[in-house]
Amino acid sequence: MSILVTGATGKTGRHIVRELLATEKDVRILTRRPDQVEPRPGLSVVEGDLMSPQSLSAALDGVERAFLFPVLPAIGAFADAARHAGVRRVVLFTGAWAAGHTERDLGSWVLPRYREAEDAMAGAGLAEWTVLRPAPFATNALWWAASLRERGVVGLPHPDALCPVIHEADIAGAVVRTLLDDGHHGARHTLTGPALVTQAEQVAAIGEAVGRTLRVERMSPERWRTEAERFLRPGIAGDLLREWSETEKDPSTALPVLPAVAEITGRPARPFSQWAHDHAADFAGA
């Protein structure tokens, strides 16, 4: 069985590739930077880009199953190309906001964009498709890394905001199982971590992992938005601020903890404390 992995050099993609190779499957990755990929038995590399449809033919030739990284404007073209190439199964992840678990999510900027991408794949005529909708990634805490390393403090607009953030390894585990196991055709699974955790609690867990006292300072939402929009689209920044503000005021409005990770992978979702220990080197001081 040949499996294509897109987004393979990212934090989640690396876990996907590692797990698939451990099952002795032939893995092919599509990347813009093939020179940065370490050669490994069972791994082949095709240079290309999801936003360049002409690069997809070589990547999809002979592929039976594929993981599709959420480059949203490219989803429809990829799904069509996969169907024409005879790819049987495609797994895509978007985000938990697409599930509309709360009134806030139903009104989010990103929900219609996620659903449009999901529907493009679902309507492409593929034999089998699955959508995974992960909660906000624990790796978003890496946004704080430079400040925590350098000053031992991070500014947050809503430090008591709650979310069941998810370890990227659990997303990867769910991707691998839905690629390999039957019974997920047409499903749209929402993936979460095992517990609601505040941002302040995340900072405390990182401090414990690195053996340092780390602090949170409350900053204004306006200042956070100005800084965040250097690397986030304004709509996403607005969605995040609304979620954080509402869940800080009323924890019952947070995304609920759901059992899909354990149900799909057969193992419990990893707590944030595990993520903090796994990424301690990213936060260690000089």
Side-chain angles (χ1 to χ4, degrees):
M1 181 192 302
S2 183
I3 301 175
L4 176 68
V5 178
T6 62
T9 59
K11 292 180 175 60
T12 302
R14 291 169 186 163
H15 284 280
I16 295 171
V17 170
R18 188 181 304 116
E19 285 200 38
L20 287 173
L21 289 174
T23 67
E24 299 186 352
K25 300 295 186 292
D26 290 326
V27 179
R28 182 182 302 168
I29 66 175
L30 175 71
T31 177
R32 290 172 293 177
R33 299 178 294 274
D35 57 310
Q36 296 184 14
V37 178
E38 177 187 355
R40 280 169 281 178
L43 181 66
S44 60
V45 181
V46 175
E47 184 173 3
D49 190 326
L50 285 173
M51 292 298 291
S52 300
Q54 65 272 18
S55 68
L56 298 180
S57 294
L60 291 167
D61 183 36
V63 165
E64 182 181 340
R65 305 181 185 190
F67 164 66
L68 180 51
F69 187 79
V71 179
L72 300 185
I75 303 304
F78 181 94
D80 288 339
R83 176 174 54 82
H84 286 296
V87 176
R88 177 168 182 78
R89 179 180 299 178
V90 176
V91 175
L92 164 72
F93 78 67
T94 56
W97 280 325
H101 283 287
T102 69
E103 288 297 320
R104 175 185 61 253
D105 293 346
L106 289 170
S108 66
W109 176 86
V110 79
L111 179 141
R113 291 160 175 82
Y114 277 159
R115 288 196 176 174
E116 181 181 6
E118 292 178 5
D119 292 345
M121 187 179 73
L126 292 161
E128 298 180 27
W129 58 268
T130 304
V131 174
L132 302 176
R133 294 164 162 173
F137 293 7
T139 52
N140 291 347
L142 293 174
W143 297 346
W144 315 330
S147 182
L148 291 174
R149 283 195 307 266
E150 294 164 11
R151 302 191 298 117
V153 62
V154 63
L156 300 173
H158 299 288
D160 293 320
L162 283 162
C163 183
V165 294
I166 186 167
H167 195 303
E168 67 275 11
D170 287 329
I171 302 170
V175 169
V176 169
R177 293 321 328 159
T178 50
L179 281 170
L180 299 182
D181 299 342
D182 294 334
H184 298 283
H185 171 52
R188 305 190 193 210
H189 298 296
T190 301
L191 311 176
T192 74
L196 292 168
V197 58
T198 69
Q199 294 184 358
E201 289 169 340
Q202 292 176 46
V203 172
I206 293 167
E208 181 178 351
V210 299
R212 297 174 61 205
T213 299
L214 304 178
R215 296 186 300 108
V216 173
E217 291 179 350
R218 190 176 288 269
M219 69 189 301
S220 73
E222 294 75 19
R223 179 183 169 192
W224 182 89
R225 182 191 289 270
T226 298
E227 295 180 1
E229 287 182 356
R230 298 173 188 167
F231 58 92
L232 287 178
R233 298 180 73 173
I236 294 176
D239 283 346
L240 287 170
L241 283 172
R242 183 181 175 193
E243 176 177 322
W244 296 341
S245 173
E246 291 186 9
T247 63
E248 185 173 57
K249 292 175 184 174
D250 183 359
S252 71
T253 67
L255 175 69
V257 174
L258 298 170
V261 168
E263 291 172 349
I264 293 170
T265 68
R267 58 186 183 236
R270 297 164 173 86
F272 185 84
S273 58
Q274 178 65 58
W275 183 90
H277 281 278
D278 291 343
H279 291 267
D282 295 309
F283 297 93

